Amino acid sequence: MEKDHKQLWEECQQFIKDNISPEQYNAFFRIVTSASYENNKLELLVPSQFFADQIEERFVGVLGAGIRKVYGQGVQLFYRVPQVQNAPDTEVSMRSGEPSQAILNQVQRKVQPANPFQAKAAAPFDSQLNPFNTFENYCSSMGNREARAIGESVARKVMTFNPLFVFGPTGVGKTHLIQAIGIRAKELDPDLRVLYINARLFESQFTAANRMGSINSFFHFYQSIDMLIVDDVQELAGKTKTQNMFFHIFNHLKQNGKQIILSSDCPPSQMEGFEARVLNRFKWGMTQELERPDMELRRDVLRRKAEQDGLNLPDDVIDFIAANVTDSIREIVGVVASLMGRAMVLGCDVNLDLARKVVSNVVKINEHRLDFELIVDRVANYYGIESDKLFTKTRKREISDMRQVVMYLAKAMANMSLKAIGSRLGRSHATVLYGCNTIEQRLGVDRKLTEEIKSIEAELKAV
């Protein structure tokens, strides 16, 4: 029986999946579908032109190999970008290689990312955005939900925050967030000239332009950007000449209604080594903090990363990693990668013992086991009640809520089983499960409770 075009594309997808990482496959190929295959012409349906350009630039080799293996030689590849709702004239079909000149772009990228000496403002260039860093792949919790909402508003031009200044310690997701804004903006307007660049690379480009006598070309290039995203802007501290150039670029973009997005490890008020007029520009728009990942976010990152990698992480392993790797999302992602590598090499499933070995290489594990009585004592002290009341049969709302906090903390921080917690409180397994689930659900919507839990957790960790 002859295979239809969808079955052929599924075989091609499987070939691609076997030859790239799971993250790359999920980010680029999982949602691509076959629109048609006739007369040796294959047409693939992709979400946007930007999406097609990224596939061409990054995976033209493996894609071509898969097509030759499944479809044979001489196949012409086309991409179809679907129409915007109620706007039929927005549907676009393009031939592989023609719009993006993929091979040429790959060579240019290796030599000089986002060439600032490119003379023509309308010429295509690499936005330097990692397509994996989308809002869909961005985990949210109470600590970063507001930042995400602001980012989406900026990308969709719902609200004007210019500049948007995002700050927070290393590894909390600043780069992912600011790149997600650029990706969303490109999806909504593929012709938008979005550029993501690290401040250190900006400084290197400026130095090279100054040495080559190409300052005017450098300045004109950055004048042509519609959305400029500068990461780690604190790296410009003490670089007076570079700051002066950035000041003039900033002013030009701002005056012409172009979006500026900046990230730093600290707020403008704490930045040193900057001219006052530069810092003043940083404060013109919205300043948004990204906090260290809370327990909810750490668990969410672990679950999503494990799902993307096809890794089975038991709940006790997730709880253990989330309780010990607390400072950085980047560290959590690294732990999952190490777990997957160890499990593959050893040919075993991921368990708590393996997780302990991997985590011990990343952070110092606090081997002090929190006991149940200590958790009860801290919760009672925090809320200003007698600890004995938590063991009574009373169903008063305030006491019941505090009892559920004890259940949640005993499970999350002391790694106690539901049965063990229930026996201490004189409650059933089902009651403890309900109490833990109730607190977890409330953490997503109740800011006051979230702050209370964080404070109690901090006290327990300090013991």
Side-chain angles (χ1 to χ4, degrees), residues 319-458:
D319 289 342
F320 174 76
I321 298 173
N324 285 280
V325 186
T326 60
D327 288 340
S328 166
I329 293 175
R330 192 172 296 132
E331 286 182 346
I332 293 173
V333 171
V335 166
V336 175
S338 296
L339 278 173
M340 184 168 63
R342 291 279 190 95
M344 290 177 64
V345 170
L346 298 175
C348 65
D349 294 331
V350 175
N351 54 38
L352 194 55
D353 288 338
L354 183 61
R356 284 183 178 278
K357 292 177 183 178
V358 171
V359 171
S360 66
N361 293 328
V362 179
V363 297
K364 182 178 180 181
I365 299 176
N366 182 9
E367 294 296 343
H368 172 64
R369 300 279 295 190
L370 292 172
D371 58 64
F372 183 78
E373 286 72 22
L374 180 62
I375 292 173
V376 170
D377 180 68
R378 288 295 185 272
V379 171
N381 285 342
Y382 184 86
Y383 289 108
I385 66 167
E386 295 178 4
S387 59
D388 290 342
K389 290 185 177 181
L390 295 171
F391 296 88
T392 63
K393 298 295 183 181
T394 180
R395 293 187 178 183
K396 288 184 179 179
R397 178 62 184 271
E398 61 270 22
I399 302 299
S400 177
D401 285 354
M402 296 174 198
R403 190 184 297 121
Q404 288 181 347
V405 170
V406 170
M407 295 173 181
Y408 170 82
L409 291 174
K411 180 177 181 292
M413 300 193 69
N415 294 319
M416 292 179 64
S417 68
L418 300 179
K419 183 177 180 180
I421 298 170
S423 66
R424 294 294 188 94
L425 289 169
R427 262 67 179 177
S428 67
H429 173 280
T431 300
V432 177
L433 178 60
Y434 174 81
C436 292
N437 290 340
T438 298
I439 295 297
E440 288 181 357
Q441 290 169 6
R442 289 179 60 192
L443 285 176
V445 295
D446 190 337
R447 182 182 290 273
K448 181 174 181 293
L449 177 64
T450 300
E451 294 300 323
E452 292 172 353
I453 295 288
K454 287 171 67 174
S455 296
I456 298 171
E457 284 180 339

Side-chain angles (χ1 to χ4, degrees), residues 9 14 23 49 62 65 108 121 130 211 222 225 246 251 257 263 273 284 292 319-320 331 360-361 396 424 457 463:
W9 174 240
Q14 186 59 52
E23 298 96 328
Q49 181 174 341
V62 69
Q108 289 177 339
N130 181 350
R211 185 173 60 249
Y222 278 96
I225 304 302
F246 186 73
N251 282 347
S263 85
W284 272 0
R292 294 191 184 277
D319 289 342
F320 174 76
E331 286 182 346
S360 66
N361 293 328
K396 288 184 179 179
R424 294 294 188 94
E457 284 180 339
V463 175

Side-chain angles (χ1 to χ4, degrees), residues 50 70 108 141 271 279 289 302 324 351 448 451 460:
F50 171 69
V70 175
Q108 289 177 339
S141 72
M271 298 179 77
L279 288 179
E289 181 179 9
L302 283 163
N324 285 280
N351 54 38
K448 181 174 181 293
E451 294 300 323
L460 290 168

Side-chain angles (χ1 to χ4, degrees), residues 26-270:
N26 289 332
F28 294 99
F29 290 99
R30 184 173 57 83
I31 61 174
V32 176
T33 58
S34 173
S36 65
Y37 176 59
E38 296 180 80
N39 302 321
N40 249 17
K41 293 182 179 180
L42 172 62
E43 190 171 42
L44 298 179
L45 189 64
V46 296
S48 66
Q49 181 174 341
F50 171 69
F51 201 92
D53 288 345
Q54 293 297 317
I55 290 178
E56 285 278 283
E57 291 179 15
R58 296 169 181 263
F59 301 101
V60 65
V62 69
L63 176 59
I67 289 174
R68 287 190 293 273
K69 177 178 175 63
V70 175
Y71 297 86
Q73 299 291 333
V75 175
Q76 294 181 346
L77 175 61
F78 295 82
Y79 299 101
R80 181 193 296 175
V81 178
Q83 68 181 49
V84 177
Q85 188 175 12
N86 300 323
D89 58 335
T90 60
E91 184 169 34
V92 177
S93 182
M94 60 194 119
R95 184 173 178 178
S96 171
E98 289 182 350
S100 60
Q101 295 181 312
I103 297 176
L104 176 61
N105 283 354
Q106 281 184 320
V107 174
Q108 289 177 339
R109 259 181 54 157
K110 292 176 182 177
V111 176
Q112 176 66 51
N115 186 358
F117 311 120
Q118 206 165 343
K120 295 182 180 180
F125 70 103
D126 189 347
S127 292
Q128 296 297 299
L129 297 167
N130 181 350
F132 183 78
N133 288 339
T134 63
F135 280 116
E136 289 73 20
N137 290 328
Y138 188 75
C139 296
S140 296
S141 72
M142 289 299 295
N144 65 10
R145 195 162 293 151
E146 180 179 309
R148 172 176 178 153
I150 290 172
E152 293 240 34
S153 297
V154 169
R156 296 179 181 277
K157 299 181 180 179
V158 175
M159 302 186 73
T160 302
F161 302 117
N162 202 14
L164 174 59
F165 192 103
V166 179
F167 72 93
T170 299
V172 296
K174 298 189 299 295
T175 298
H176 190 144
L177 176 63
I178 61 179
Q179 287 203 15
I181 298 171
I183 290 172
R184 178 73 84 234
K186 286 284 288 182
E187 289 173 349
L188 296 171
D189 182 1
D191 294 328
L192 199 70
R193 287 173 67 82
V194 177
L195 177 64
Y196 164 83
I197 191 168
N198 185 280
R200 184 167 294 183
L201 179 56
F202 177 88
E203 198 271 334
S204 297
Q205 289 179 345
F206 171 71
T207 301
N210 197 24
R211 185 173 60 249
M212 296 164 58
S214 303
I215 290 296
N216 287 338
S217 296
F218 178 90
F219 184 62
H220 291 325
F221 169 79
Y222 278 96
Q223 281 182 316
S224 74
I225 304 302
D226 296 314
M227 178 181 284
L228 179 60
I229 305 172
V230 183
D231 208 353
D232 294 324
V233 73
Q234 76 276 358
E235 298 284 352
L236 298 183
K239 310 291 177 55
T240 305
K241 291 183 179 179
T242 307
Q243 287 182 33
N244 185 58
M245 172 56 70
F246 186 73
F247 173 82
H248 292 297
I249 291 171
F250 184 106
N251 282 347
H252 175 86
L253 296 179
K254 174 75 174 178
Q255 290 167 6
N256 287 275
K258 309 301 184 181
Q259 181 67 51
I260 304 163
I261 301 171
L262 309 172
S263 85
S264 172
D265 60 3
C266 62
S269 60
Q270 297 178 14

